[in-house]
Amino acid sequence: MTKLTRELVDPVLVAAFEGWNDAGEAASLAVEHLAREWDAQELCALTPDDYYDFQVTRPRLTVVDGQVGPVEWPTTRVRVARMPGGRDVVLVTGPEPNMRWRSYAADLLSIARELGVRRAVMLGSLLADAPHTRPIPVTGMASPRELGTRMGLEATTYSGPTGIVGVVHEAFSAAGIEAVSLWAAIPHYVAQPPCPKATLALLAWVEDFLDVKVPLGSLPDDAVSWEAGVNDLTAEDEEIAAYVRGLEEAKDTAELPEASGDAIAREFERYLRRRDDD
């Protein structure tokens, strides 16, 4: 690990992993956005030979005018940035490992402990029957559960296969570090990346759990353009358009009781916080 030139201030960890956990690349792009906006500096990288099958997650090679550049090996990078207000954030990104998941999670936990991390936020995105014209649903889990309840996170009930997000979440929670996993639901009929609307939805929750204003840059405009583009695509096929209308009706019916409840209150709180910061 690169030696830090300063002591971190109450650091929180935010992680996303490419691949199975990252539909539409919404999660990994959210962390990359934070790294760019907060000028994150690289701290260390995990040894790729320990966790990646290079026939599955292949290294990359760049050749320019016949000159071969250095091989880029798949790995997990750890970066550090100072957030507004003086608190630090540890950003973790990389492809989901192909092997030795328990050792991988233990390595991340060891780094987090060394840096003094007391809360970790894992980001993920999945394909779902969600209409692109409605707010992107974000669900998740928190350990302890009271943390998610206090922040208004809709709890998830699930039993089935998991990705590295679930494994890392459990490892951090078992070690006594507060762990939050947030999952954005990507419309399955428009799964190709990027999905800036889902990235925005995840960042809104990151703001809540980090209690900080996240600079959004061009993301709001990108999200509007993305939705308009999907509107144009669905309008060209009446069968898909009818399918989307059915998803909209189901979504609106399911969320009608919540329309004047916690969801609006939470969005109003975010609006007030952002207005005050501005």
Side-chain angles (χ1 to χ4, degrees):
M1 182 183 295
T2 301
K3 186 175 179 59
L4 287 168
T5 58
R6 58 180 175 82
E7 185 174 349
L8 298 186
V9 178
D10 192 19
V12 60
L13 182 144
V14 180
F17 306 95
E18 302 160 17
W20 190 88
N21 311 266
D22 194 26
E25 298 180 0
S28 59
L29 289 177
V31 176
E32 290 301 330
H33 179 85
L34 296 177
R36 182 172 59 255
E37 292 294 331
W38 287 335
D39 192 25
Q41 304 300 309
E42 184 155 338
L43 183 62
C44 65
L46 301 189
T47 304
D49 302 66
D50 292 342
Y51 301 116
Y52 295 101
D53 179 344
F54 299 134
Q55 290 184 322
V56 177
T57 307
R58 289 187 175 273
R60 295 177 59 86
L61 180 66
T62 300
V63 180
V64 179
D65 295 331
Q67 298 298 309
V68 178
V71 174
E72 298 177 25
W73 296 95
T75 190
T76 297
R77 295 192 297 158
V78 180
R79 290 170 283 181
V80 175
R82 176 63 55 88
M83 297 186 291
R87 191 180 182 191
D88 287 297
V89 61
V90 179
L91 302 173
V92 177
T93 53
E96 181 179 65
N98 304 120
M99 52 196 177
R100 301 187 183 94
W101 283 19
R102 286 179 291 185
S103 295
Y104 180 90
D107 274 358
L108 292 183
L109 177 59
S110 177
I111 292 171
R113 280 173 161 166
E114 185 175 346
L115 296 176
V117 169
R118 293 186 293 178
R119 176 179 293 181
V121 180
M122 268 69 74
L123 305 182
S125 47
L126 50 84
L127 299 180
D129 292 330
H132 70 280
T133 54
R134 299 295 185 266
I136 296 290
V138 175
T139 57
M141 56 184 178
S143 304
R145 185 166 54 183
E146 293 74 18
L147 173 62
T149 302
R150 187 168 67 248
M151 301 304 295
L153 178 64
E154 181 182 346
T156 299
T157 299
Y158 174 76
S159 177
T162 188
I164 196 64
V165 168
V167 173
V168 173
H169 180 115
E170 192 275 337
F172 276 58
S173 174
I177 295 176
E178 291 183 343
V180 180
S181 296
L182 302 169
W183 289 86
I186 308 293
H188 68 85
Y189 54 88
V190 59
Q192 66 272 20
C195 184
K197 189 172 181 178
T199 296
L200 269 180
L202 287 171
L203 289 175
W205 281 96
V206 169
E207 285 189 323
D208 288 353
F209 280 99
L210 271 58
D211 192 24
V212 67
K213 176 184 175 183
V214 173
L216 299 178
S218 65
L219 272 175
D221 290 337
D222 294 342
V224 171
S225 298
W226 175 85
E227 185 169 332
V230 179
N231 285 339
D232 292 341
L233 289 174
T234 56
E236 295 174 359
D237 189 317
E238 178 53 36
E239 185 175 345
I240 296 179
Y243 176 70
V244 172
R245 287 194 296 270
L247 291 178
E248 291 171 340
E249 292 172 2
K251 180 75 171 176
D252 295 343
T253 300
E255 294 193 346
L256 187 60
E258 191 185 3
S260 59
D262 292 342
I264 287 181
R266 187 167 57 247
E267 290 302 319
F268 187 59
E269 289 171 1
R270 287 175 180 153
Y271 163 76
L272 291 177
R273 181 171 61 243
R274 186 167 287 279
R275 187 192 65 176
D276 291 342
D277 289 339
D278 290 339

